[in-house]
């Protein structure tokens, strides 16, 4: 039989069905097509991981931790917690509005509570007023 890819006369080969090629190919060509398809899938996965999913890419540095990744949810949560003008539910709603793509499939209220816990472990205090607005205050000490 003749390989439809390299046009050599071979006694053995494989029937290959891929996006780029469909037909009879010798063993060497079939393995090369298989490798190329694998590389395309792997590179597509790697490229999708490198794309930024964040809408707001401003770098905001947290006073307690020293640094926060730019575009992360924490970078958006920290200023809202330090300002103390919103409840946890309102902060979660603001996050959903500001970082819609980064917030997909995440429990935003849980992220806000987790940031509050991380601050309390660093010596900050969470203060709630009568309207349940949350504010982070650094303990005097």
């Amino acid at each position: 039989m003749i390989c439809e890819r390299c046009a050599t006369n071979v006694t053995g080969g494989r029937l290959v069905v891929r996006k780029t090629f469909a037909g009879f190919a010798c063993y060497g060509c079939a393995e090369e097509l298989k490798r190329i398809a694998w590389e395309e899938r792997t590179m597509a996965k790697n490229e999708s991981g490198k794309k930024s999913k964040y809408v707001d890419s401003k770098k905001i540095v947290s006073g307690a931790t020293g640094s926060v990744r730019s575009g992360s949810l924490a970078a958006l949560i920290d200023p809202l917690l330090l300002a103390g003008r919103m409840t946890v539910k309102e902060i979660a709603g603001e996050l959903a509005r500001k970082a819609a793509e980064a917030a997909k499939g995440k429990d935003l209220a849980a992220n806000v509570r987790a940031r509050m816990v991380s601050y309390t472990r660093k010596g900050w205090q969470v203060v709630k007023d009568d309207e349940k607005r949350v504010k982070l205050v650094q303990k005097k000490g």
Side-chain angles (χ1 to χ4, degrees), residues 102-117:
K104 268 190 183 164
K106 294 184 179 177
D107 186 358
L108 299 176
N111 275 280
V112 174
R113 290 189 301 272
R115 289 302 296 167
M116 291 190 315
V117 168

Side-chain angles (χ1 to χ4, degrees), residues 8-135:
T8 57
N9 194 4
V10 291
T11 57
R14 294 185 180 149
L15 187 61
V16 179
V17 178
R18 300 262 186 255
K19 287 182 180 178
T20 57
F21 176 83
F24 181 79
C26 63
Y27 287 116
C29 290
E31 290 300 315
E32 184 180 352
L33 287 168
K34 188 176 178 181
R35 181 186 56 78
I36 290 170
W38 177 83
E39 285 177 354
E40 287 174 353
R41 282 193 314 271
T42 305
M43 293 304 287
K45 287 179 189 173
N46 289 342
E47 288 300 317
S48 68
K50 291 179 185 175
K51 289 181 184 173
S52 177
K53 297 178 182 174
Y54 304 110
V55 175
D56 189 6
S57 62
K58 290 190 292 185
K59 179 160 182 150
I60 300 170
V61 178
S62 170
T65 60
S67 67
V68 175
R69 280 189 357 216
S70 66
S72 66
L73 287 176
L76 298 171
I77 294 171
D78 290 348
L80 297 173
L81 284 174
L82 293 170
R85 287 178 256 140
M86 298 178 164
T87 65
V88 172
K89 197 174 194 179
E90 290 170 342
I91 293 172
E94 185 73 15
L95 282 176
R97 190 181 62 76
K98 279 186 179 177
E101 197 62 35
K104 268 190 183 164
K106 294 184 179 177
D107 186 358
L108 299 176
N111 275 280
V112 174
R113 290 189 301 272
R115 289 302 296 167
M116 291 190 315
V117 168
S118 69
Y119 271 97
T120 57
R121 289 180 179 164
K122 293 172 188 163
W124 290 65
Q125 187 175 10
V126 177
V127 178
K128 291 185 180 181
D129 63 2
D130 295 338
E131 297 171 12
K132 296 190 177 185
R133 291 183 293 213
V134 180
K135 182 171 184 164

